[in-house]
Amino acid sequence: MIASRKLRRCASAMLILLIVMGPAALRAQETREELIRGGVQAYDQFEIARALEQLQAGVDPNAGPPDSLWAVGVQLLSQILLEEGEEDLATVWLRWALRLDPEMAGDSVTYLPEVVRAFRAAQDYVAASGGRDTLADTRWRWAPRGVTRGSGALVVDRPSLPISVRLTVTGVGPVTPGPPVELVPGSYEIRAEADGYDPISVTREILPGVTTHLAVNFPPPLVVLGDSALTPAVAAAAVNAMARLTAHRFALDPTCGTGFIAGQDGLLVTTYRTIRGADRIVVEFPMGRTVEGDIAVAAYDLAANIAVLKLPVAPDVSLPLATEPSEGQFAWGLGYRECESAVATQTRIATWLNRPSGMLSLASPLLGADQGGPVIDENGSVLGLAVADRSAVPAVRVESALRAARRNLEARQLLTVGEVATRERHRYGSVAITSDLAGAVARVTPLERWHWAEAAAEDALPTTFAGPMGRYRLELIAESRVHEQLELQIDPGQRDELFVPLLQVTVQDSGGGFPWAIAAVGVAGAGAAAAFLVGGGGGGDGGGNGDTTGSISIRIPNP
């Protein structure tokens, strides 16, 4: 049975190899190509031991970055192991490969259904365990040729910082930095702790005959501003449940905000302002886990400035919601200062007006926590969601948004951030504004009811204005006065250009009658102004009888 399945697949394996490599590549003598080509040929000839040896040598990452040929080698290697009944070892190889290259595409045509199922299971596992994190640099001392079974080894390099590190390997126990630790092939969670730093937890695969080296990168510790009653354990738990959010909007530089995990169902709470108008959101946790795809909006409340996001995977940490806060109690607002350092600012709950829907007023401003950071008590429970430097949405209203999110999850009524932006008419567009009015400044004022005051802008020409869809008033200002006013239309996802040519016509009455000015846009405006002047509009008795003599000056700005 196994032989027949091999025969059905070997031709396809050779075909995919030819497609990926091409005739020129087949003639090449590069080590990786030679090894993987040799492994495919050995598999075709039922020489399993030689195939495993050559494929394992061919997927050595020290030979170069992952590519399509490398992916062929990994998947054929896993197929051979599955056919030999070594499912656990095949799983380890697939997890290792997907952690090294999360974008590796599975081939559901060439390989056996068992390989396809194992590939998808490995994808889920790697995504849930942090994927390709940045908390530990990884390198490999590859297995000697012919070693395809047996133990591997883990080496955690001694830190370059003058700190004492405590290491624990799940299922093994404490280990010492430096010496190799022999391990059975599999996936292992390595936890590193050091005084004054947030703990680090990473998952790595140990491969047969391969020595895996880790260099742990400790992130900066939480900076607490002001006197603090937060214990290191409470502070670390709060930071681990926080996330830094990067919002990408059309024609704008990315902006950042803060969010936190609440509950055990992968729900992340942030402000609506953080995601407002965004096309895409990236969520990064302090443990190095980054989530970019399949982020959905489970609920949002414009009035309360709350958004609840559903993540495909989330850390196994969360912050509990507190009961009603007391006025005068100490609190700490957490966030990311300048999108970098995690900061906790001590404050007090000053007032809570209009309970339960009213806002919490804080006694002192928060630093870096005003965009979706949690406001916690000394036990780490969330008192509110920070929405401004001195105000927070109370936890009771956050809980209401979470309940709505869970109902929408159950009903499968989720939206992307782009769909929310479209629904609320907050999607961005842009317009490049130029003019021949020297030294002009463009002032753009939003006009739609769904706009917000911060969407206004004022900048010297030439400039590009980006804002949410809808109508705007554009004023061109020079020498402290408005020279032109017109209406702009911003279309979602569109880049437009606007050139405003100005023709300034000034008429002065030398006989003491009236001074007046006409500003006309374009040639048509100039013609209308000229016709108006020739007809004697506004002069003396209106009959053009010469009772009033005037001088006309026409200034056309240089292009």
Side-chain angles (χ1 to χ4, degrees), residues 21-71:
M21 296 172 61
L26 285 173
R27 292 192 299 270
Q29 298 301 310
E30 295 181 15
T31 302
R32 173 173 285 173
E33 293 182 354
E34 286 185 337
L35 289 168
I36 294 180
R37 181 176 71 236
V40 172
Q41 291 172 344
Y43 176 72
D44 187 22
Q45 297 166 5
F46 301 99
E47 298 178 19
I48 299 306
R50 185 165 68 91
L52 282 174
E53 176 185 333
Q54 293 195 276
L55 290 171
Q56 179 167 316
V59 299
D60 181 355
N62 298 307
D67 54 17
S68 55
L69 179 60
W70 176 86

Side-chain angles (χ1 to χ4, degrees), residues 168-519:
T168 305
V169 178
T170 302
V172 177
V175 300
T176 303
V181 180
E182 186 174 323
L183 297 172
V184 174
S187 298
Y188 293 88
E189 182 181 2
I190 302 101
R191 183 176 176 86
E193 297 177 279
D195 294 337
Y197 292 85
D198 297 331
I200 289 175
S201 180
V202 298
T203 301
R204 293 294 186 270
E205 280 65 47
I206 300 299
L207 303 170
V210 176
T211 300
T212 300
H213 287 258
L214 287 185
V216 177
N217 303 319
F218 279 96
L222 174 69
V223 178
V224 180
L225 305 178
D227 296 333
S228 174
L230 288 179
T231 66
V234 168
V239 170
N240 289 342
M242 282 170 46
R244 179 168 46 236
L245 279 67
T246 303
H248 297 263
R249 299 174 179 86
F250 182 85
L252 284 182
D253 292 334
T255 60
C256 74
T258 304
F260 62 91
I261 296 292
Q264 303 302 317
D265 38 16
L267 293 178
L268 184 141
V269 179
T270 186
T271 61
Y272 177 77
R273 182 180 176 183
T274 295
I275 70 164
R276 182 174 59 190
D279 304 307
R280 181 169 62 92
I281 295 288
V282 177
V283 178
E284 181 182 357
F285 290 97
M287 303 308 291
R289 299 173 181 176
T290 299
V291 183
E292 297 190 43
D294 297 326
I295 298 174
V297 181
Y300 65 97
D301 184 339
L302 271 68
N305 195 8
I306 300 175
V308 181
L309 306 183
K310 176 66 175 73
L311 307 182
V313 292
D316 188 21
V317 292
S318 66
L319 294 179
L321 298 183
T323 56
E324 292 190 1
S326 303
E327 294 182 352
Q329 79 172 97
F330 280 109
W332 290 264
L334 277 65
Y336 288 97
R337 179 171 52 186
E338 298 177 352
C339 301
E340 295 293 338
S341 303
V343 175
T345 309
Q346 181 176 284
T347 185
R348 287 179 182 268
I349 304 298
T351 57
W352 185 4
L353 301 176
N354 302 320
R355 298 187 184 212
S357 59
M359 301 290 287
L360 299 177
S361 177
L362 307 177
S364 54
L366 305 178
L367 180 60
D370 60 339
Q371 273 297 298
V375 178
I376 64 172
D377 62 17
E378 62 182 5
N379 299 314
S381 297
V382 176
L383 299 170
L385 169 71
V387 294
D389 62 350
R390 286 180 179 265
S391 60
V393 177
V396 62
R397 197 156 184 182
V398 173
E399 177 58 37
S400 176
L402 286 168
R403 287 196 299 269
R406 292 181 179 115
R407 288 194 299 269
N408 290 336
L409 276 174
E410 186 175 353
R412 299 184 180 181
Q413 295 177 342
L414 305 181
L415 300 170
T416 67
V417 289
E419 288 170 337
V420 171
T422 299
R423 173 182 287 188
E424 299 300 331
R425 288 176 282 191
H426 290 162
R427 284 188 61 201
Y428 274 62
S430 69
V431 58
I433 306 170
T434 56
S435 176
D436 53 7
L437 178 60
V441 170
R443 178 189 294 159
V444 182
T445 305
L447 299 177
E448 307 288 7
R449 59 178 178 78
W450 59 83
H451 285 162
W452 51 92
E454 295 86 350
E458 187 170 318
D459 199 6
L461 293 183
T463 186
T464 296
F465 171 77
M469 57 196 292
R471 298 174 301 114
Y472 293 82
R473 182 172 61 250
L474 169 64
E475 297 171 300
L476 295 190
I477 302 169
E479 300 175 352
S480 301
R481 67 186 182 91
V482 176
H483 286 255
E484 182 57 61
Q485 178 174 301
L486 53 89
E487 190 173 283
L488 285 178
Q489 176 71 35
I490 297 293
D491 296 316
Q494 297 294 320
R495 299 179 187 271
D496 295 321
E497 296 182 358
L498 176 64
F499 174 72
V500 185
L502 290 185
L503 175 65
Q504 186 71 36
V505 181
T506 304
V507 179
Q508 292 181 332
D509 179 11
S510 60
F514 58 92
W516 51 279
I518 300 173

